[in-house]
Amino acid sequence: MQSRSVPIITFFLVHIGLGLLLYLFPGVAKLITIAIFVFGLYWIIQNEDRDAQTLYAAAYVAGAEVLLRMFGATFFNEFGKYSIMIFAAVGIAYRGLQPLSFLFFFFLLLLIPGIFIGIKNLALDANVRKAIAFNISGPACLGVFAMYTAGRMVTLEQVKKSLFFLGLPILSTLVILFLRVPSVKEVVTGTDSNFATSGGYGPNQMATILGLGMFLFFTMFLIDQRSKKLTYIYLILSVMLGYRCLVTFSRGGMITGLVMMVVLVGVLYWKLNPIGKAKITSIAAVILLLGVGVWTYSTIQTSGLIEKRYANQDAAGRLKQDKLGGREKVNKAEIQMFLDNPITGVGVGVNKQYREEMTGIEAASHNELTRMLAEHGLAGLLGLLILFLVPFFTSFANKQHIFLWSFFFFWLLTINHAAMRLAAPAFVYALSLLKVVVPVKRE
């Protein structure tokens, strides 16, 4: 980010304009997709990744993925993940690897046996490439980008800059939501996840990216105190994103965003001196009041249906039998697959087919943890242990990384309700592995 507020506001205005442009002329979306990839690659190469341009380009793609998918502009579904992997490969070519990177190279190796088992076990009439890419691209993106970030030394300012670029296209997404559905009251009729309030796109993924955006601008509100005008803008954007996230009626993204905010406030409170603690307490009180206001407004706009959604009731107020929309059965079936095939797993892409044969349920996995176990067996278990343990052990020597646990919990909570459909969980997890330093100011 620039050192003055005017360029930042200019970035905001440009992305508000981008949202308006896409709303009025959706046909330009594919051109924008190409431009994002080409400019990102050029930016990294031109600068030889000297200022961590790989982070910024990948952040922008992760933030723009839902925006571009809303217009069917990504050419193929995994465009965002493949783009991030290409950026990471170029960044590694310029900057090399850190010792910690080789753990994630091993993680990638652990994914390979499941691919061959999947090819062997998939039904003859299945689209093998699509079935495997759908399930493996998320972990592959995580592994490749983690090889770039693991142990890499960056400044806190570079991390903030990455978050800024991650948030910009989410701002454009917010603009489109308000343009497409200015009045929530007119389109909410039940307590199920709502495609209309999600701009016609999948509520689960939309809520994931909006909840992340809510956290991003809340973070800027907390740590970017260069001008009151900017501070108010950050806070307003965070509140607006929170509102639109809430009314998607998809609970996972909202809960995840709130957890990230609470974790960040907790980390800052623990690290700050008494004066800083008092300030954080005051901010937390203001945020709590704003949260109550957003909830009350959402309740009015949805005629009380949002309250029933979070109470797990239908529109008539009757308690729903399942709490996770049927996902408990899917998760249980995947755990059974692992128990039946603990060494090899059933193979990448096979879990949907296998589950239909077991239970008659035809549904893709929403939980990356149980999917990894079901499809990869022992290799999946080892891979998950790497993903859980590396941030934990590196955190002891990474005291300046104030976002580490917020990033980790975003990944963990998101993959429990939305698997790794988006690139965002892979990208944000990889950010938790950065070695953050705060340069000492010299007199």
Side-chain angles (χ1 to χ4, degrees):
M1 289 183 290
Q2 304 297 321
S3 59
R4 293 177 296 181
S5 62
V6 175
I8 292 176
I9 293 175
T10 301
F11 275 123
F12 287 165
L13 292 175
V14 166
H15 282 81
I16 290 171
L18 176 62
L20 181 60
L21 176 68
L22 286 169
Y23 176 74
L24 295 174
F25 306 102
V28 305
K30 288 192 174 182
L31 294 176
I32 291 172
T33 301
I34 295 170
I36 290 171
F37 175 75
V38 171
F39 178 77
L41 195 58
Y42 171 80
W43 195 23
I44 297 167
I45 295 171
Q46 173 74 9
N47 293 279
E48 299 182 353
D49 199 41
R50 283 186 291 265
D51 183 34
Q53 279 80 15
T54 297
L55 281 181
Y56 313 146
Y60 196 88
V61 168
E65 189 173 26
V66 167
L67 174 68
L68 298 174
R69 284 187 182 182
M70 289 175 76
F71 294 92
T74 54
F75 299 97
F76 49 91
N77 199 55
E78 312 306 329
F79 172 85
K81 297 168 191 171
Y82 293 153
S83 297
I84 289 174
M85 286 190 275
I86 291 169
F87 292 164
V90 176
I92 289 170
Y94 282 115
R95 300 287 296 277
L97 297 171
Q98 303 299 313
L100 195 59
S101 301
F102 292 96
L103 270 176
F104 292 93
F105 178 71
F106 179 61
F107 170 80
L108 290 171
L109 292 179
L110 289 171
L111 301 177
I112 294 174
I115 296 174
F116 288 103
I117 295 168
I119 292 171
K120 177 177 177 293
N121 290 342
L122 278 166
L124 293 176
D125 60 346
N127 186 328
V128 175
R129 185 205 64 79
K130 186 175 181 180
I132 290 177
F134 178 80
N135 289 283
I136 204 67
S137 58
C141 179
L142 185 154
V144 173
F145 201 68
M147 286 180 65
Y148 171 81
T149 60
R152 187 170 303 282
M153 192 171 293
V154 296
T155 65
L156 185 60
E157 191 62 30
Q158 286 174 317
V159 178
K160 288 162 58 179
K161 193 171 180 179
S162 300
L163 300 185
F164 179 72
F165 280 109
L166 180 60
L168 285 174
I170 299 176
L171 174 58
S172 300
T173 306
L174 179 66
V175 171
I176 291 170
L177 289 178
F178 276 108
L179 290 172
R180 284 186 174 180
V181 189
S183 175
V184 169
K185 185 177 292 187
E186 295 178 4
V187 297
V188 174
T189 57
T191 61
D192 293 329
S193 296
N194 195 301
F195 278 82
T197 58
S198 302
Y201 188 69
N204 199 7
Q205 294 178 35
M206 180 60 74
T208 295
I209 210 70
L210 293 176
L212 178 59
M214 177 180 69
F215 166 78
L216 295 174
F217 288 106
F218 171 73
T219 297
M220 296 301 170
F221 164 72
L222 281 182
I223 65 178
D224 189 357
Q225 301 290 321
R226 285 171 291 181
S227 77
K228 285 189 176 181
K229 179 168 62 175
L230 266 180
T231 301
Y232 293 141
I233 290 172
Y234 292 141
L235 186 58
I236 291 168
L237 289 176
S238 182
V239 168
M240 292 173 70
L241 284 160
Y243 166 65
R244 292 306 305 217
C245 181
L246 192 60
V247 297
T248 64
F249 280 71
S250 184
R251 295 166 291 189
M254 188 70 200
I255 293 169
T256 299
L258 290 174
V259 169
M260 293 176 78
M261 290 166 65
V262 170
V263 170
L264 178 60
V265 169
V267 169
L268 290 174
Y269 188 87
W270 178 61
K271 288 181 176 290
L272 291 173
N273 58 30
I275 296 175
K277 283 181 169 61
K279 185 175 181 181
I280 287 293
T281 302
S282 300
I283 290 172
V286 171
I287 295 300
L288 184 60
L289 287 173
L290 287 172
V292 171
V294 170
W295 178 263
T296 303
Y297 183 71
S298 301
T299 300
I300 294 170
Q301 289 296 302
T302 62
S303 303
L305 290 173
I306 194 65
E307 292 184 348
K308 293 179 180 179
R309 172 62 170 170
Y310 278 79
N312 199 44
Q313 298 172 352
D314 63 17
R318 296 170 298 210
L319 191 67
K320 295 181 180 180
Q321 290 186 350
D322 62 86
K323 295 181 179 180
L324 301 175
R327 292 173 193 166
E328 301 98 327
K329 294 180 181 178
V330 174
N331 296 346
K332 186 177 179 180
E334 288 177 336
I335 292 171
Q336 189 60 50
M337 289 180 218
F338 172 67
L339 296 175
D340 292 342
N341 304 271
I343 305 301
T344 63
V346 299
V348 175
V350 181
N351 81 81
K352 183 178 179 181
Q353 169 187 308
Y354 198 101
R355 179 168 46 255
E356 188 175 2
E357 293 171 359
M358 286 174 58
T359 65
I361 299 173
E362 185 180 1
S365 177
H366 281 77
N367 189 311
E368 196 66 23
L369 301 178
T370 55
R371 188 205 66 78
M372 285 276 289
L373 293 173
E375 295 191 348
H376 296 272
L378 180 60
L381 178 60
L382 291 174
L384 289 172
L385 285 174
I386 290 173
L387 298 183
F388 276 94
L389 293 178
V390 172
F392 176 77
F393 283 108
T394 57
S395 67
F396 294 109
N398 204 1
K399 302 297 185 183
Q400 303 296 339
H401 197 342
I402 59 175
F403 305 111
L404 188 154
W405 291 114
S406 290
F407 292 162
F408 178 81
F409 278 109
F410 172 77
W411 167 77
L412 179 60
L413 295 177
T414 299
I415 66 170
N416 270 279
H417 73 85
M420 293 184 74
R421 304 280 199 276
L422 297 175
F427 172 77
V428 173
Y429 173 89
L431 292 184
S432 73
L433 306 173
L434 292 165
K435 174 66 175 176
V436 178
V437 296
V438 178
V440 178
K441 294 182 180 180
R442 296 180 179 179
E443 297 294 336

